[in-house]
């Protein structure tokens, strides 16, 4: 019955592949359980409650993606969006309750745009070159995050970035990268997953990690932040820009992630249209609304889903596995916490390679196509923002196509997106 509902056999997958893929996705994004509470905690919210809320929001969004949209994507409170919530909105003088109201309103508007089909039209109107560039750019972006988490790439006041010191944790991370790469070359199913496990074991053996003192704990109460949002205050005219900013970043981060993962999972037809896109976007919007009610910033589709897809996940059953592991995390947070960032970093680097490979389909002989694609790709990691890379790609595309006399190739919706992209850059999101 499960096989039939999720079309596991039909998609050439198996329960083993789906379980490994779902587990891999979980391990590569489990850091959000600890990072999100720390960031939102700086906004004055209860950190203990945020741990539970972060996990619950991830479970809800991921189950919607798996059971409703039937795709192997996972959702959780978005990185970048949580920083904007805390350091821009609340840091600018807005109460966190009002900021949650802003997130709620943006989610409701998103849901309306999704139901009316406008979000789907936005995705399908994006030119193929920019779609392919989005996947490649995100690949570079998450690889950069992987190198950063590993400690290989660090900040340098003279050159902006530089080579990190070869500390024991960096050496363990590099060993994990080599192990994972070898497993992938040997075409070992679940290579990325096994790479994370082996890297963590190495860290335990050499003494860089300590086993947790306790393995089980009851989840903290969500009472201090659940249903504390202030929608009335969020309807203030002064917060229209903030609502738009959340919508813009979530829209194009989600679009970029969905398009990139859909190519990897084979959910794109011969005309370049993404299958199941309506339900994916509906799940994304509903998850954002639910998350705001629980007490967290915008919930979005996670690019780490690509790691599970790379390990064989092809159906929504993998997302059910990911959600189940998030549920277990409610009670085993101390155990999950021993998996360090430098152990999951190699997975991000390898996934970046998988996502970058579609760049070969871009026509680099046509500069009206290749320059926007290049700007999209390179500016994502350099600005540490998916939405900024997309903004420059959209703006340059409509300008160069018009100058080249190919303005008929630019739809009205693309002009609107380009105009919104300019506004996004002006607002400094």
């Amino acid at each position: 019955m499960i096989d039939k509902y999720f079309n596991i056999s039909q998609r050439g997958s198996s329960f083993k592949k789906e379980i490994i893929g779902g587990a891999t996705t979980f391990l590569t994004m489990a850091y959000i359980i600890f990072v999100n509470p720390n960031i939102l905690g700086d906004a004055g919210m209860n950190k203990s409650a945020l741990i539970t809320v972060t996990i619950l929001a991830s479970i809800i969004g991921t189950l919607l993606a798996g059971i409703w949209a039937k795709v192997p994507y996972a959702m959780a409170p978005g990185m970048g969006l949580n920083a904007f919530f805390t350091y821009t909105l609340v840091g600018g003088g807005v109460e966190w309750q009002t900021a949650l109201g802003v997130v709620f309103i943006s989610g409701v508007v998103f849901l309306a745009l999704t139901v009316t089909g406008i979000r789907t039209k936005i995705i399908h109107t994006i030119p193929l070159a920019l779609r392919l560039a989005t996947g490649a750019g995100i690949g570079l972006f998450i690889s950069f995050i992987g190198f950063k988490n590993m400690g290989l790439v660090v900040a340098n006041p003279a050159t902006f970035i530089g080579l990190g010191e070869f500390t024991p944790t960096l050496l363990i991370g590099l060993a994990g990268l080599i192990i994972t790469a070898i497993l992938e070359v040997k075409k070992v199913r679940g290579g990325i997953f096994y790479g994370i496990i082996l890297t963590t074991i190495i860290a335990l053996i050499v003494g860089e990690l300590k086993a947790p003192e306790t393995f089980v704990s009851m989840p903290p109460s969500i009472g201090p932040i659940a249903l504390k949002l202030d929608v009335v205050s969020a309807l203030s005219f002064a917060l229209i820009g903030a609502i738009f900013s959340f919508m813009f970043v979530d829209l194009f981060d989600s679009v970029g992630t969905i398009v990139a993962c859909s190519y990897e999972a084979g959910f794109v037809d011969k005309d370049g249209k993404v299958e199941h896109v309506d339900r994916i976007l509906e799940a994304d919007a509903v998850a954002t609304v639910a998350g705001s009610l629980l007490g967290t910033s915008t919930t979005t589709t996670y690019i780490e889903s690509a790691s599970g897809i790379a390990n064989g996940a092809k159906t929504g059953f993998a997302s059910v596995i990911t959600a189940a592991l998030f549920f277990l995390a409610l009670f085993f947070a101390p155990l999950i916490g021993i998996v360090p960032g430098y152990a999951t970093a190699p997975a991000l680097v390898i996934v970046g390679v998988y996502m970058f490979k579609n760049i070969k389909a871009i026509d680099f002989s046509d500069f009206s196509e290749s320059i926007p694609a290049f700007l999209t790709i390179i500016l994502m990691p350099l600005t540490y923002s998916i939405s900024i890379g997309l903004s420059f790609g959209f703006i340059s595309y409509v300008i160069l196509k018009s100058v080249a006399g190919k303005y008929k190739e630019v739809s009205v919706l693309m002009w609107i997106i380009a105009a919104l992209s300019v506004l996004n850059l002006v607002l400094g999101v």
Side-chain angles (χ1 to χ4, degrees):
M1 183 176 66
I2 295 174
D3 187 313
K4 183 178 180 180
Y5 181 82
F6 290 104
N7 298 318
I8 295 175
S9 298
Q10 183 180 333
R11 288 196 171 275
S13 187
S14 66
F15 282 102
K16 180 180 179 181
K17 292 177 183 178
E18 296 299 306
I19 291 171
I20 291 176
T24 301
T25 296
F26 171 75
L27 282 177
T28 56
M29 65 181 291
Y31 65 86
I32 195 62
I33 297 173
F34 308 98
V35 176
N36 194 57
N38 285 334
I39 293 177
L40 296 186
D42 288 343
M45 303 174 73
N46 184 285
K47 290 187 178 181
S48 296
L50 281 166
I51 293 174
T52 303
V53 166
T54 299
I55 295 173
L56 291 177
S58 302
I59 292 172
I60 292 171
T62 302
L63 283 179
L64 283 170
I67 297 175
W68 171 247
K70 298 184 181 180
V71 291
Y73 304 160
M75 297 184 184
M79 292 296 295
L81 290 159
N82 51 12
F84 179 79
F85 179 100
T86 296
Y87 304 115
T88 300
L89 204 53
V90 177
V94 177
E95 296 292 330
W96 63 262
Q97 294 91 337
T98 303
L100 285 176
V102 171
V103 175
F104 175 83
I105 293 170
S106 68
V108 170
V109 174
F110 253 158
L111 186 58
L113 293 176
T114 302
V115 172
T116 56
I118 295 176
R119 285 184 79 182
T120 303
K121 291 180 180 179
I122 290 174
I123 290 181
H124 289 158
T125 199
I126 298 175
L128 178 60
L130 291 184
R131 292 191 219 172
L132 296 172
T134 296
I138 292 176
L140 285 184
F141 181 56
I142 65 172
S143 291
F144 179 72
I145 293 174
F147 287 128
K148 176 177 173 290
N149 291 347
M150 195 185 301
L152 183 66
V153 175
V154 298
N156 185 303
T159 60
F160 295 105
I161 60 172
L163 182 66
E165 295 183 7
F166 285 89
T167 61
T169 56
L170 173 54
L171 293 175
I172 294 171
L174 290 174
L177 179 59
I178 293 172
I179 291 171
T180 307
I182 291 173
L183 292 173
E184 290 301 303
V185 169
K186 292 293 185 179
K187 301 185 183 302
V188 175
R189 282 291 180 184
I192 296 176
F193 172 75
Y194 296 133
I196 294 172
I197 300 300
L198 291 173
T199 306
T200 302
I201 292 174
I202 292 172
L204 286 168
I205 291 174
V206 301
E208 285 299 320
L209 283 180
K210 292 183 179 180
E213 295 180 0
T214 178
F215 294 95
V216 181
S217 64
M218 291 300 294
S221 170
I222 65 174
I225 58 177
L227 300 177
K228 302 296 185 182
L229 68 167
D230 186 350
V231 178
V232 175
S233 297
L235 290 171
S236 168
F237 179 79
L239 292 176
I240 291 178
I243 295 172
F244 169 78
S245 296
F246 270 114
M247 289 177 57
F248 188 94
V249 176
D250 187 27
L251 172 62
F252 291 113
D253 276 8
S254 294
V255 167
T257 299
I258 291 168
V259 169
C261 289
S262 295
Y263 271 101
E264 188 63 41
F267 292 154
V268 182
D269 62 24
K270 61 181 180 179
D271 298 320
K273 292 187 176 181
V274 178
E275 299 176 16
H276 317 295
V277 68
D278 290 330
R279 291 195 172 191
I280 298 171
L281 293 173
E282 288 167 3
D284 184 79
V286 171
T288 291
V289 173
S292 67
L293 293 171
L294 287 170
T296 187
S297 55
T298 305
T299 301
T300 188
T301 307
Y302 258 58
I303 192 58
E304 282 84 356
S305 304
S307 63
I309 295 170
N311 267 283
K314 293 183 178 180
T315 75
F317 187 68
S319 294
V320 174
I321 297 300
T322 303
L325 291 173
F326 267 113
F327 177 77
L328 290 178
L330 281 170
F331 308 96
F332 292 92
L335 182 62
I336 298 299
I338 72 167
V339 179
Y342 58 82
T344 57
L348 298 179
V349 175
I350 298 300
V351 170
V353 176
Y354 274 100
M355 301 191 68
F356 195 77
K357 65 184 181 182
N358 288 324
I359 193 176
K360 61 186 178 183
I362 298 174
D363 182 8
F364 281 95
S365 64
D366 183 348
F367 283 105
S368 67
E369 297 271 337
S370 60
I371 292 177
F374 178 78
L375 290 176
T376 301
I377 293 170
I378 197 65
L379 287 176
M380 284 187 186
L382 291 184
T383 62
Y384 212 74
S385 170
I386 294 172
S387 63
I388 289 178
L390 284 168
S391 293
F392 276 94
F394 293 142
I395 295 169
S396 60
Y397 184 87
V398 298
I399 292 175
L400 294 179
K401 283 293 184 181
S402 298
V403 171
K406 301 178 180 179
Y407 53 87
K408 291 184 179 180
E409 297 181 19
V410 184
S411 66
V412 174
L413 191 52
M414 270 300 293
W415 278 103
I416 295 174
I417 293 173
L420 293 175
S421 296
V422 172
L423 184 58
N424 175 56
L425 296 175
V426 170
L427 289 175
V429 178

